Amino acid sequence: MSAFLNAAATTDTAEGPACAEPLPVLGRDVTVPLVTGGEVTYAALDYAASAPALQRVWDDVAAYAPYYGSVHRGAGYLSQLSTDLFEQSRATVAEFLGCRPADQVVFTRSTTDSLNLLAAVLPAGCQVFVFETEHHASLLPWADAQVTYLNAPRTPAQAVATLERALADRTASIEEGHGPALVCVTGASNVTGELWPVKELAAAAHAHGARIVLDAAQLAPHHPVSVQELDVDWVAFSGHKLYAPFGSGVLAGRADWLQQAEPYLAGGGASRKVARRADGGVDVEWHTTAARHEAGSPNVIGVYSIASACKALTEAGFDGLVARERHLIAKVRSGLAEVPAVRILSLFGDEAPRVGVISFVVDGWNSSHFAAALSAEYGIGVRDGLFCAHPLVRTLLGSEPQAQGECGAPEAAPGERSLNAIRVSFGAGTPDEHVDRFVRAVKELVADGAKWQYRTEEGRCVPAV
């Protein structure tokens, strides 16, 4: 291993293990203009969509960039170094996820790509069980399988009971020729932030001979994730939510279905040997390692950035990260609770454990209008809409139309109810000032209204010029 790799892998974090302060992230000093005049430091409160890059990740990538080279098939020094870095990153991610010795770590583009890869390698006749509460990344990839959609539970215990009943019904009719089964479940909701009972759901799945894949896109940036402790078969997550925005993701877990299926993408890197046949065709011998599903030139910078983020979070210490996030969650929830017009969306109730993702609606406001005012008048970036979890948000808002206000929601046709919400999300890089400003802004907007006029432009609510 080169000296460069060893040095890059052991870069110290500024905070140390206690992590009493926010981790340094890019963009923390960026200022943005306000429509009312002047500028303010941008409050990035949309971590659930894309978290800012950790400064540690950026520094590690910048230090490696001059040594960038092709991976796996180059004889030169930079290619050899890049290959070592790529494979070392695979080992780092496996350790971060608590993988079993025989598990494979496959690098993809995102959580969505990871779950589509798993969908592509399902054995014939596989039945998939998925709650309607899932993000579209884990709700939609299973079109070629027999899918059972499960209703939204209202408690963690109900989630387990719902899955057990569905699997028991399948087991009772197993003699009718059912193939294998897969359960897909989120670790933390991208709408409510609530933690799901993953370990209990995994136990229920395995008790009925099914496998389970964990969508950890919203869990891994906030809590430790261990494949072994949770006893899941696969885990998927995205780099851009883990403070590593360079276009990579991960699917990690059992190797057998991955090894037995045709490659997700056919091409160089996935093939061990290709030979012409006498009849004019080609014979291909595919790799049985993770390379089988990593065709093409690997995104070594994206992969290394994920490994760097894994190291940074581990070294900072999840105990401190979780404690600080709970402090921020309490600030936001208690502040919003002081505004009668605000309703926080929840499946499991106020006492449910959660990560820093909170969605809400405001009486008398269209959510698109409210989010636009937060941005234009306070320099606060949040998200509004249905958050790529349409069935869940529609379930939570189904009986509550929103007023159109200054701007209409783009998905609401004339005469239809406007169903969308506002989501505020934060993480390891969020300072107290950002959430304090957010709570103050919500109170002022509800009490006094927007200071500016807004209009709809190309489906978005924007300040009127």
Side-chain angles (χ1 to χ4, degrees):
M1 187 64 63
S2 72
F4 164 74
L5 289 175
N6 287 326
T10 56
T11 303
D12 289 333
T13 58
E15 273 61 41
C19 191
E21 298 296 325
L23 295 183
V25 294
L26 264 64
R28 59 190 179 275
D29 298 323
V30 168
T31 59
V32 295
L34 302 180
V35 293
T36 51
E39 292 188 341
V40 67
T41 303
Y42 184 65
L45 296 179
D46 194 15
Y47 275 50
S50 287
L54 284 173
Q55 186 68 53
R56 157 73 175 272
V57 171
W58 191 263
D59 291 345
D60 281 354
V61 167
Y64 161 66
Y67 300 88
Y68 172 77
S70 62
V71 175
H72 290 150
R73 295 178 290 281
Y77 179 81
L78 298 191
S79 293
Q80 293 291 308
L81 185 147
S82 295
T83 298
D84 286 348
L85 190 71
F86 188 83
E87 294 304 331
Q88 176 184 293
S89 296
R90 199 189 303 277
T92 297
V93 171
E95 181 180 3
F96 179 77
L97 293 174
C99 288
R100 300 163 290 246
D103 285 342
Q104 286 188 348
V105 173
V106 180
F107 290 115
T108 65
R109 294 174 294 179
S110 60
T111 308
T112 301
D113 197 33
S114 295
L115 293 172
N116 274 269
L117 163 57
L118 186 59
V121 305
L122 294 181
C126 187
Q127 185 174 1
V128 177
F129 295 83
V130 57
F131 286 92
E132 67 174 349
T133 47
E134 293 291 312
H135 185 281
H136 294 171
S138 47
L139 186 73
L140 302 180
W142 320 106
D144 292 334
Q146 179 185 348
V147 185
T148 298
Y149 296 103
L150 307 175
N151 292 335
R154 288 298 180 167
T155 65
Q158 188 179 86
V160 177
T162 297
L163 179 62
E164 286 180 332
R165 283 195 300 271
L167 292 172
D169 290 344
R170 172 186 175 273
T171 303
S173 58
I174 196 75
E175 65 276 7
E176 297 179 10
H178 286 290
L182 176 71
V183 176
C184 180
V185 67
T186 189
S189 171
N190 78 303
V191 176
T192 67
E194 292 162 322
L195 299 178
W196 277 61
V198 176
K199 191 169 185 176
E200 292 80 1
L201 291 166
H206 293 152
H208 291 276
R211 298 191 183 191
I212 185 168
V213 56
L214 169 64
D215 175 354
Q218 300 297 340
L219 183 63
H222 304 274
H223 282 264
V225 175
S226 172
V227 170
Q228 294 189 72
E229 290 182 11
L230 294 173
D231 197 23
V232 295
D233 297 279
W234 293 276
V235 61
F237 71 89
S238 297
H240 68 272
K241 299 187 193 300
L242 196 80
Y243 312 101
F246 291 94
S248 280
V250 169
L251 176 67
R254 300 194 180 278
D256 53 350
W257 287 5
L258 295 167
Q259 292 173 343
Q260 294 161 10
E262 291 296 302
Y264 182 45
L265 297 173
S271 56
R272 281 190 74 249
K273 186 187 301 182
V274 180
R276 288 293 302 274
R277 296 196 306 263
D279 64 5
V282 294
D283 289 319
V284 184
E285 181 182 335
W286 303 107
H287 281 292
T288 57
T289 63
R292 185 184 189 89
H293 299 290
E294 293 176 345
S297 294
N299 178 4
V300 60
I301 287 181
V303 165
Y304 180 43
S305 71
I306 289 179
S308 173
C310 291
K311 282 183 173 290
L313 294 174
T314 300
E315 292 167 8
F318 269 108
D319 287 347
L321 294 174
V322 170
R324 187 174 197 307
E325 187 167 302
R326 286 174 178 163
H327 160 73
L328 296 178
I329 291 170
K331 273 196 169 194
V332 173
R333 288 180 60 84
S334 62
L336 294 181
E338 296 173 359
V339 185
V342 169
R343 182 172 75 87
I344 296 175
L345 305 184
S346 176
L347 274 174
F348 299 155
D350 290 342
E351 301 305 315
R354 65 193 72 232
V355 300
V357 178
I358 298 168
S359 296
F360 63 98
V361 292
V362 183
D363 290 345
W365 285 81
N366 179 271
S367 295
S368 179
H369 183 199
F370 201 88
L374 286 173
S375 174
E377 300 178 27
Y378 295 91
I380 298 170
V382 297
R383 181 152 296 218
D384 67 277
L386 300 175
F387 317 126
C388 292
H390 294 189
L392 171 57
V393 181
R394 290 186 184 281
T395 293
L396 296 173
L397 296 180
S399 61
E400 299 186 19
Q402 295 189 58
Q404 289 294 324
E406 298 286 343
C407 294
E411 74 275 4
E416 289 186 355
R417 292 180 300 178
S418 170
L419 293 174
N420 62 351
I422 307 148
R423 184 181 71 190
V424 56
S425 54
F426 40 87
T430 304
D432 281 60
E433 190 277 328
H434 287 186
V435 299
D436 291 339
R437 192 196 319 170
F438 166 76
V439 171
R440 184 179 71 253
V442 170
K443 292 179 178 179
E444 290 180 1
L445 285 171
V446 171
D448 305 327
K451 301 180 180 67
W452 206 259
Q453 294 295 313
Y454 295 82
R455 60 187 175 83
T456 302
E457 181 178 291
E458 296 182 352
R460 296 296 307 164
C461 191
V462 298
V465 178

